[in-house]
PDB file of all heavy atoms in Angstrom:
ATOM      1  N   THR A 223      15.217 -35.992  43.446  1.00 98.00           N
ATOM      2  CA  THR A 223      14.189 -34.978  43.805  1.00 98.00           C
ATOM      3  C   THR A 223      14.440 -33.748  43.008  1.00 98.00           C
ATOM      4  O   THR A 223      15.585 -33.440  42.810  1.00 98.00           O
ATOM      5  CB  THR A 223      14.165 -34.692  45.341  1.00 98.00           C
ATOM      6  OG1 THR A 223      15.587 -34.370  45.748  1.00 98.00           O
ATOM      7  CG2 THR A 223      13.764 -35.902  46.178  1.00 98.00           C
ATOM      8  N   LEU A 224      13.345 -33.115  42.687  1.00 98.00           N
ATOM      9  CA  LEU A 224      13.393 -31.872  41.899  1.00 98.00           C
ATOM     10  C   LEU A 224      12.424 -30.883  42.480  1.00 98.00           C
ATOM     11  O   LEU A 224      11.261 -31.164  42.683  1.00 98.00           O
ATOM     12  CB  LEU A 224      13.046 -32.292  40.407  1.00 98.00           C
ATOM     13  CG  LEU A 224      12.755 -30.979  39.568  1.00 98.00           C
ATOM     14  CD1 LEU A 224      13.951 -30.110  39.296  1.00 98.00           C
ATOM     15  CD2 LEU A 224      12.194 -31.529  38.082  1.00 98.00           C
ATOM     16  N   GLY A 225      12.997 -29.685  42.683  1.00 98.00           N
ATOM     17  CA  GLY A 225      12.182 -28.614  43.170  1.00 98.00           C
ATOM     18  C   GLY A 225      12.433 -27.483  42.142  1.00 98.00           C
ATOM     19  O   GLY A 225      13.529 -26.864  42.238  1.00 98.00           O
ATOM     20  N   TRP A 226      11.469 -27.161  41.270  1.00 98.00           N
ATOM     21  CA  TRP A 226      11.679 -26.062  40.312  1.00 98.00           C
ATOM     22  C   TRP A 226      11.078 -24.768  40.841  1.00 98.00           C
ATOM     23  O   TRP A 226      10.197 -24.710  41.699  1.00 98.00           O
ATOM     24  CB  TRP A 226      11.036 -26.441  39.006  1.00 98.00           C
ATOM     25  CG  TRP A 226       9.654 -27.132  39.021  1.00 98.00           C
ATOM     26  CD1 TRP A 226       9.376 -28.467  39.068  1.00 98.00           C
ATOM     27  CD2 TRP A 226       8.392 -26.449  39.392  1.00 98.00           C
ATOM     28  NE1 TRP A 226       8.049 -28.678  39.168  1.00 98.00           N
ATOM     29  CE2 TRP A 226       7.428 -27.437  39.344  1.00 98.00           C
ATOM     30  CE3 TRP A 226       7.965 -25.098  39.479  1.00 98.00           C
ATOM     31  CZ2 TRP A 226       6.011 -27.131  39.551  1.00 98.00           C
ATOM     32  CZ3 TRP A 226       6.653 -24.814  39.633  1.00 98.00           C
ATOM     33  CH2 TRP A 226       5.720 -25.901  39.669  1.00 98.00           C
ATOM     34  N   GLU A 227      11.755 -23.746  40.325  1.00 97.00           N
ATOM     35  CA  GLU A 227      11.100 -22.368  40.594  1.00 97.00           C
ATOM     36  C   GLU A 227      10.796 -21.832  39.261  1.00 97.00           C
ATOM     37  O   GLU A 227      11.712 -21.588  38.426  1.00 97.00           O
ATOM     38  CB  GLU A 227      12.118 -21.570  41.353  1.00 97.00           C
ATOM     39  CG  GLU A 227      12.695 -22.205  42.697  1.00 97.00           C
ATOM     40  CD  GLU A 227      13.988 -21.492  43.168  1.00 97.00           C
ATOM     41  OE1 GLU A 227      14.000 -20.349  43.279  1.00 97.00           O
ATOM     42  OE2 GLU A 227      14.920 -22.315  43.307  1.00 97.00           O
ATOM     43  N   HIS A 296       6.150 -14.767  44.835  1.00 84.00           N
ATOM     44  CA  HIS A 296       6.631 -13.458  45.099  1.00 84.00           C
ATOM     45  C   HIS A 296       6.987 -12.782  43.798  1.00 84.00           C
ATOM     46  O   HIS A 296       7.001 -13.290  42.701  1.00 84.00           O
ATOM     47  CB  HIS A 296       7.850 -13.482  45.948  1.00 84.00           C
ATOM     48  CG  HIS A 296       8.993 -14.347  45.371  1.00 84.00           C
ATOM     49  ND1 HIS A 296       9.931 -13.728  44.400  1.00 84.00           N
ATOM     50  CD2 HIS A 296       9.488 -15.483  45.569  1.00 84.00           C
ATOM     51  CE1 HIS A 296      10.837 -14.632  44.121  1.00 84.00           C
ATOM     52  NE2 HIS A 296      10.662 -15.710  44.899  1.00 84.00           N
ATOM     53  N   GLU A 305       7.289 -15.091  40.501  1.00 95.00           N
ATOM     54  CA  GLU A 305       7.784 -16.482  40.601  1.00 95.00           C
ATOM     55  C   GLU A 305       6.802 -17.346  41.451  1.00 95.00           C
ATOM     56  O   GLU A 305       6.120 -16.872  42.324  1.00 95.00           O
ATOM     57  CB  GLU A 305       9.163 -16.429  41.260  1.00 95.00           C
ATOM     58  CG  GLU A 305       9.714 -17.933  41.414  1.00 95.00           C
ATOM     59  CD  GLU A 305      11.089 -18.016  42.218  1.00 95.00           C
ATOM     60  OE1 GLU A 305      12.061 -17.333  41.713  1.00 95.00           O
ATOM     61  OE2 GLU A 305      11.142 -18.581  43.241  1.00 95.00           O
ATOM     62  N   ALA A 307       6.790 -21.360  43.150  1.00 96.00           N
ATOM     63  CA  ALA A 307       7.714 -22.614  43.464  1.00 96.00           C
ATOM     64  C   ALA A 307       6.881 -23.494  44.348  1.00 96.00           C
ATOM     65  O   ALA A 307       6.063 -23.021  45.209  1.00 96.00           O
ATOM     66  CB  ALA A 307       9.001 -22.201  44.088  1.00 96.00           C
ATOM     67  N   PRO A 308       6.981 -24.794  44.157  1.00 97.00           N
ATOM     68  CA  PRO A 308       6.429 -25.771  44.971  1.00 97.00           C
ATOM     69  C   PRO A 308       7.328 -26.385  45.942  1.00 97.00           C
ATOM     70  O   PRO A 308       8.477 -26.127  45.917  1.00 97.00           O
ATOM     71  CB  PRO A 308       6.046 -26.858  43.959  1.00 97.00           C
ATOM     72  CG  PRO A 308       7.160 -26.856  42.941  1.00 97.00           C
ATOM     73  CD  PRO A 308       7.760 -25.491  42.971  1.00 97.00           C
ATOM     74  N   MET A 309       6.836 -27.238  46.804  1.00 97.00           N
ATOM     75  CA  MET A 309       7.656 -28.236  47.649  1.00 97.00           C
ATOM     76  C   MET A 309       8.221 -29.172  46.547  1.00 97.00           C
ATOM     77  O   MET A 309       7.534 -29.569  45.661  1.00 97.00           O
ATOM     78  CB  MET A 309       6.701 -28.806  48.625  1.00 97.00           C
ATOM     79  CG  MET A 309       7.253 -29.896  49.454  1.00 97.00           C
ATOM     80  SD  MET A 309       8.485 -29.056  50.667  1.00 97.00           S
ATOM     81  CE  MET A 309       9.242 -30.572  51.324  1.00 97.00           C
ATOM     82  N   PHE A 310       9.552 -29.559  46.786  1.00 98.00           N
ATOM     83  CA  PHE A 310      10.072 -30.507  45.840  1.00 98.00           C
ATOM     84  C   PHE A 310       9.364 -31.885  45.913  1.00 98.00           C
ATOM     85  O   PHE A 310       8.867 -32.249  46.915  1.00 98.00           O
ATOM     86  CB  PHE A 310      11.612 -30.655  46.069  1.00 98.00           C
ATOM     87  CG  PHE A 310      11.978 -31.314  47.435  1.00 98.00           C
ATOM     88  CD1 PHE A 310      12.105 -32.680  47.488  1.00 98.00           C
ATOM     89  CD2 PHE A 310      12.137 -30.558  48.643  1.00 98.00           C
ATOM     90  CE1 PHE A 310      12.512 -33.242  48.683  1.00 98.00           C
ATOM     91  CE2 PHE A 310      12.418 -31.214  49.813  1.00 98.00           C
ATOM     92  CZ  PHE A 310      12.577 -32.445  49.800  1.00 98.00           C
ATOM     93  N   HIS A 354      14.849 -22.221  37.895  1.00 95.00           N
ATOM     94  CA  HIS A 354      15.869 -22.923  38.683  1.00 95.00           C
ATOM     95  C   HIS A 354      15.379 -24.449  38.992  1.00 95.00           C
ATOM     96  O   HIS A 354      14.263 -24.653  39.349  1.00 95.00           O
ATOM     97  CB  HIS A 354      16.150 -22.289  39.992  1.00 95.00           C
ATOM     98  CG  HIS A 354      16.569 -20.826  39.710  1.00 95.00           C
ATOM     99  ND1 HIS A 354      16.760 -19.963  40.832  1.00 95.00           N
ATOM    100  CD2 HIS A 354      16.788 -20.123  38.654  1.00 95.00           C
ATOM    101  CE1 HIS A 354      17.135 -18.882  40.328  1.00 95.00           C
ATOM    102  NE2 HIS A 354      17.125 -18.903  39.041  1.00 95.00           N
ATOM    103  N   ASN A 356      16.220 -27.160  41.368  1.00 97.00           N
ATOM    104  CA  ASN A 356      16.882 -27.712  42.638  1.00 97.00           C
ATOM    105  C   ASN A 356      16.867 -29.197  42.555  1.00 97.00           C
ATOM    106  O   ASN A 356      15.781 -29.821  42.427  1.00 97.00           O
ATOM    107  CB  ASN A 356      16.122 -27.179  43.886  1.00 97.00           C
ATOM    108  CG  ASN A 356      16.248 -25.658  43.904  1.00 97.00           C
ATOM    109  OD1 ASN A 356      17.087 -25.094  44.420  1.00 97.00           O
ATOM    110  ND2 ASN A 356      15.186 -24.968  43.364  1.00 97.00           N
ATOM    111  N   TRP A 357      18.039 -29.749  42.706  1.00 98.00           N
ATOM    112  CA  TRP A 357      18.249 -31.156  42.504  1.00 98.00           C
ATOM    113  C   TRP A 357      18.962 -31.839  43.582  1.00 98.00           C
ATOM    114  O   TRP A 357      19.913 -31.313  44.168  1.00 98.00           O
ATOM    115  CB  TRP A 357      19.053 -31.374  41.148  1.00 98.00           C
ATOM    116  CG  TRP A 357      19.595 -32.757  40.842  1.00 98.00           C
ATOM    117  CD1 TRP A 357      18.873 -33.622  40.050  1.00 98.00           C
ATOM    118  CD2 TRP A 357      20.771 -33.288  41.171  1.00 98.00           C
ATOM    119  NE1 TRP A 357      19.599 -34.755  39.988  1.00 98.00           N
ATOM    120  CE2 TRP A 357      20.880 -34.565  40.608  1.00 98.00           C
ATOM    121  CE3 TRP A 357      21.933 -32.807  41.887  1.00 98.00           C
ATOM    122  CZ2 TRP A 357      21.959 -35.290  40.686  1.00 98.00           C
ATOM    123  CZ3 TRP A 357      23.067 -33.692  42.024  1.00 98.00           C
ATOM    124  CH2 TRP A 357      23.010 -34.962  41.405  1.00 98.00           C
ATOM    125  N   ALA A 358      18.470 -32.973  44.052  1.00 98.00           N
ATOM    126  CA  ALA A 358      19.151 -33.827  45.093  1.00 98.00           C
ATOM    127  C   ALA A 358      18.734 -35.249  44.874  1.00 98.00           C
ATOM    128  O   ALA A 358      17.924 -35.597  44.006  1.00 98.00           O
ATOM    129  CB  ALA A 358      18.720 -33.304  46.508  1.00 98.00           C
ATOM    130  N   ASN A 366      18.825 -37.684  52.499  1.00 96.00           N
ATOM    131  CA  ASN A 366      19.207 -36.804  51.325  1.00 96.00           C
ATOM    132  C   ASN A 366      20.679 -36.906  51.141  1.00 96.00           C
ATOM    133  O   ASN A 366      21.454 -36.466  51.995  1.00 96.00           O
ATOM    134  CB  ASN A 366      18.706 -35.434  51.596  1.00 96.00           C
ATOM    135  CG  ASN A 366      19.222 -34.433  50.505  1.00 96.00           C
ATOM    136  OD1 ASN A 366      20.010 -34.881  49.608  1.00 96.00           O
ATOM    137  ND2 ASN A 366      18.804 -33.178  50.608  1.00 96.00           N
ATOM    138  N   ARG A 470      25.001 -17.714  49.474  1.00 72.00           N
ATOM    139  CA  ARG A 470      24.356 -17.843  48.172  1.00 72.00           C
ATOM    140  C   ARG A 470      25.004 -17.038  47.114  1.00 72.00           C
ATOM    141  O   ARG A 470      25.249 -15.803  47.254  1.00 72.00           O
ATOM    142  CB  ARG A 470      22.841 -17.353  48.280  1.00 72.00           C
ATOM    143  CG  ARG A 470      21.981 -18.140  49.052  1.00 72.00           C
ATOM    144  CD  ARG A 470      21.771 -19.562  48.466  1.00 72.00           C
ATOM    145  NE  ARG A 470      20.996 -20.354  49.252  1.00 72.00           N
ATOM    146  CZ  ARG A 470      19.736 -20.576  49.017  1.00 72.00           C
ATOM    147  NH1 ARG A 470      19.083 -20.047  48.036  1.00 72.00           N
ATOM    148  NH2 ARG A 470      18.977 -21.448  49.681  1.00 72.00           N
ATOM    149  N   ARG A 472      24.288 -16.006  43.634  1.00 81.00           N
ATOM    150  CA  ARG A 472      23.220 -16.042  42.612  1.00 81.00           C
ATOM    151  C   ARG A 472      23.751 -15.951  41.210  1.00 81.00           C
ATOM    152  O   ARG A 472      22.984 -15.838  40.230  1.00 81.00           O
ATOM    153  CB  ARG A 472      22.155 -15.068  42.895  1.00 81.00           C
ATOM    154  CG  ARG A 472      21.608 -15.404  44.356  1.00 81.00           C
ATOM    155  CD  ARG A 472      20.146 -14.815  44.512  1.00 81.00           C
ATOM    156  NE  ARG A 472      19.655 -15.230  45.715  1.00 81.00           N
ATOM    157  CZ  ARG A 472      18.818 -16.184  45.991  1.00 81.00           C
ATOM    158  NH1 ARG A 472      18.455 -16.930  45.037  1.00 81.00           N
ATOM    159  NH2 ARG A 472      18.457 -16.592  47.140  1.00 81.00           N
ATOM    160  N   THR A 479      23.483 -25.344  47.537  1.00 91.00           N
ATOM    161  CA  THR A 479      22.725 -24.540  48.443  1.00 91.00           C
ATOM    162  C   THR A 479      22.334 -25.293  49.787  1.00 91.00           C
ATOM    163  O   THR A 479      21.197 -25.297  50.112  1.00 91.00           O
ATOM    164  CB  THR A 479      21.458 -24.013  47.738  1.00 91.00           C
ATOM    165  OG1 THR A 479      20.717 -25.009  47.124  1.00 91.00           O
ATOM    166  CG2 THR A 479      21.792 -22.998  46.664  1.00 91.00           C
ATOM    167  N   ASN A 481      21.752 -28.371  50.865  1.00 92.00           N
ATOM    168  CA  ASN A 481      21.340 -29.728  50.837  1.00 92.00           C
ATOM    169  C   ASN A 481      20.869 -30.133  49.422  1.00 92.00           C
ATOM    170  O   ASN A 481      20.151 -31.123  49.340  1.00 92.00           O
ATOM    171  CB  ASN A 481      20.203 -29.839  51.872  1.00 92.00           C
ATOM    172  CG  ASN A 481      18.937 -28.948  51.482  1.00 92.00           C
ATOM    173  OD1 ASN A 481      19.145 -28.092  50.619  1.00 92.00           O
ATOM    174  ND2 ASN A 481      17.825 -29.201  52.090  1.00 92.00           N
ATOM    175  N   LYS A 482      21.336 -29.414  48.548  1.00 95.00           N
ATOM    176  CA  LYS A 482      20.901 -29.726  47.101  1.00 95.00           C
ATOM    177  C   LYS A 482      21.765 -28.796  46.185  1.00 95.00           C
ATOM    178  O   LYS A 482      22.380 -27.861  46.674  1.00 95.00           O
ATOM    179  CB  LYS A 482      19.479 -29.338  46.904  1.00 95.00           C
ATOM    180  CG  LYS A 482      19.173 -27.870  47.130  1.00 95.00           C
ATOM    181  CD  LYS A 482      17.621 -27.564  47.201  1.00 95.00           C
ATOM    182  CE  LYS A 482      17.377 -26.095  47.447  1.00 95.00           C
ATOM    183  NZ  LYS A 482      17.798 -25.496  48.776  1.00 95.00           N
ATOM    184  N   GLU A 484      21.486 -26.341  42.861  1.00 96.00           N
ATOM    185  CA  GLU A 484      20.546 -25.550  42.170  1.00 96.00           C
ATOM    186  C   GLU A 484      21.043 -25.262  40.808  1.00 96.00           C
ATOM    187  O   GLU A 484      21.995 -24.501  40.707  1.00 96.00           O
ATOM    188  CB  GLU A 484      20.317 -24.200  42.958  1.00 96.00           C
ATOM    189  CG  GLU A 484      19.186 -23.309  42.366  1.00 96.00           C
ATOM    190  CD  GLU A 484      18.834 -22.230  43.230  1.00 96.00           C
ATOM    191  OE1 GLU A 484      19.187 -22.236  44.396  1.00 96.00           O
ATOM    192  OE2 GLU A 484      18.099 -21.299  42.719  1.00 96.00           O
TER     193      GLU A 484
HETATM  194  P1  LIG B 801      15.526 -19.895  46.770  1.00 67.45           P
HETATM  195  O1  LIG B 801      16.438 -20.609  45.864  1.00 67.45           O
HETATM  196  O2  LIG B 801      14.428 -19.171  45.968  1.00 67.45           O
HETATM  197  O3  LIG B 801      16.172 -19.095  47.760  1.00 67.45           O
HETATM  198  P2  LIG B 801      15.064 -22.263  48.463  1.00 67.45           P
HETATM  199  O4  LIG B 801      16.543 -22.543  48.364  1.00 67.45           O
HETATM  200  O5  LIG B 801      14.511 -22.024  49.895  1.00 67.45           O
HETATM  201  O6  LIG B 801      14.628 -20.976  47.585  1.00 67.45           O
HETATM  202  O7  LIG B 801      14.232 -23.381  47.839  1.00 67.45           O
HETATM  203  C1  LIG B 801      14.216 -23.512  46.425  1.00 67.45           C
HETATM  204  C2  LIG B 801      13.547 -24.832  45.991  1.00 67.45           C
HETATM  205  O8  LIG B 801      14.401 -25.888  46.464  1.00 67.45           O
HETATM  206  C3  LIG B 801      12.151 -25.089  46.660  1.00 67.45           C
HETATM  207  O9  LIG B 801      11.365 -25.277  45.564  1.00 67.45           O
HETATM  208  C4  LIG B 801      12.355 -26.449  47.391  1.00 67.45           C
HETATM  209  O10 LIG B 801      11.274 -27.261  47.263  1.00 67.45           O
HETATM  210  C5  LIG B 801      13.555 -26.998  46.728  1.00 67.45           C
HETATM  211  N1  LIG B 801      14.227 -28.056  47.481  1.00 67.45           N
HETATM  212  C6  LIG B 801      14.547 -27.992  48.820  1.00 67.45           C
HETATM  213  N2  LIG B 801      15.123 -29.207  49.096  1.00 67.45           N
HETATM  214  C7  LIG B 801      15.193 -29.942  47.991  1.00 67.45           C
HETATM  215  C8  LIG B 801      15.686 -31.207  47.723  1.00 67.45           C
HETATM  216  N3  LIG B 801      16.237 -32.030  48.644  1.00 67.45           N
HETATM  217  N4  LIG B 801      15.657 -31.687  46.452  1.00 67.45           N
HETATM  218  C9  LIG B 801      15.110 -30.842  45.582  1.00 67.45           C
HETATM  219  N5  LIG B 801      14.632 -29.711  45.801  1.00 67.45           N
HETATM  220  C10 LIG B 801      14.690 -29.200  46.970  1.00 67.45           C
END
Side-chain angles (χ1 to χ4, degrees):
T223 51
L224 166 64
W226 41 263
E227 302 163 52
H296 62 78
E305 179 182 299
M309 176 70 187
F310 67 92
H354 302 175
N356 293 275
W357 170 89
N366 173 357
R470 291 298 181 96
R472 301 207 175 260
T479 51
N481 60 348
K482 61 191 180 294
E484 181 172 349

